[in-house]
Amino acid sequence: MRKADVQRPGRTSPGADQIQRRGRGRRAGGSTARDDVLAAARAEFARRGYAGATIRSVATAAGVDAALVHYFFGSKDRLFAAAMSLAANPAELVSQALDGSRDSIGERLVRRALETWDDPEAQASLVALIRSASSHEAAAATLRGFVEGEMVPRLALVAGEPDAQLRAALTGSALAGLIVARYVLRVEPLASADREELVARVTPSLQRYLTG
C-alpha cells in the first residue's frame, strides 16, 4: 500500500470532509434548488411583505432546509434583492422607453410598464416590493434608490430645463401611481381595463410633464 493511501486514525479524508460540509442542508436534485428558493421567496414576500417573510418560511415553501437558503444567499436582505431582480429590471424598462423619438416617449413609458407588469411573474415581484417598502426601511430604500438614482435622472435628461428634475419626478410618480393602482391595489375599473386604452389615456399626461 502506498504511503499516500494510509490515513491517520480518527480522521476522514479532506475530500470526504468537504463533501460532507457542502452537502449539509441540501436536498437531492439540488441543481434546481436555487430557482425553487427564488420562486418561493417571491411568493412569500408578495404574501407576507418583507417583515413577515422569513428564511424559514421561504425554505418551507421551497421544500428545502433553511441552511440551504443561507448557503445560497447569506441573509434575508440578499434573498430579497435576488428575488426582486429576477422577474423584471425596471432600469431596463426605462432605457428601452428612452430609446426613440422624444415626442413619443410618454407612450413608450406607459406601454413598456404595462407590458412588463402584465406578466404574472414580474407582477408578483412588484407586489412584494411595494408591500415590503411600507414596512421595512431596506425595502423602501431599494425602491427609492431606483426612482431617485435611475428613473428621475434619465427622464430629466429628456425633459430638459427648466425644472427638469421636478418634471421627471412628476412623470415617475404618475407612472408609479398607475402601476400601484392597477396591480397592487387592483382598483376597478383600472385593474381590468384594456392595456391599449390605458396607454391612450395616460400618455398625454406623461408626455406633457416631460416635454410640455
Side-chain angles (χ1 to χ4, degrees), residues 180-209:
V180 170
R182 179 171 170 87
Y183 301 110
V184 181
L185 301 179
R186 303 198 64 80
V187 175
E188 291 292 359
L190 190 59
S192 57
D194 178 74
R195 181 196 301 167
E196 290 304 312
E197 180 179 1
L198 291 179
V199 170
R201 289 177 178 268
V202 176
T203 289
S205 295
L206 265 64
Q207 190 69 42
R208 185 171 61 253
Y209 282 142

Side-chain angles (χ1 to χ4, degrees), residues 80-200:
F80 179 80
M84 294 305 97
S85 65
L86 184 66
N89 188 339
E92 291 181 2
L93 183 154
V94 175
S95 295
Q96 293 166 3
L98 294 179
D99 185 17
S101 170
R102 184 173 182 267
D103 294 335
S104 57
I105 187 174
E107 178 184 353
R108 292 195 303 277
L109 275 171
V110 179
R111 177 170 282 107
R112 287 296 298 122
L114 295 178
E115 288 174 349
T116 298
W117 301 124
D118 276 345
D119 176 76
E121 186 179 3
Q123 198 175 124
S125 68
L126 170 73
V127 172
L129 183 60
I130 296 299
R131 288 181 177 173
S132 296
S134 66
S135 61
H136 186 75
E137 177 55 31
T142 298
L143 184 59
R144 183 169 59 248
F146 166 72
V147 174
E148 293 180 348
E150 294 285 344
M151 193 171 193
V152 171
R154 296 186 189 192
L155 292 175
L157 290 175
V158 176
E161 298 297 338
D163 301 325
Q165 291 286 326
L166 177 58
R167 289 191 287 122
L170 286 169
T171 303
S173 66
L175 190 59
L178 169 65
I179 296 302
V180 170
R182 179 171 170 87
Y183 301 110
V184 181
L185 301 179
R186 303 198 64 80
V187 175
E188 291 292 359
L190 190 59
S192 57
D194 178 74
R195 181 196 301 167
E196 290 304 312
E197 180 179 1
L198 291 179
V199 170

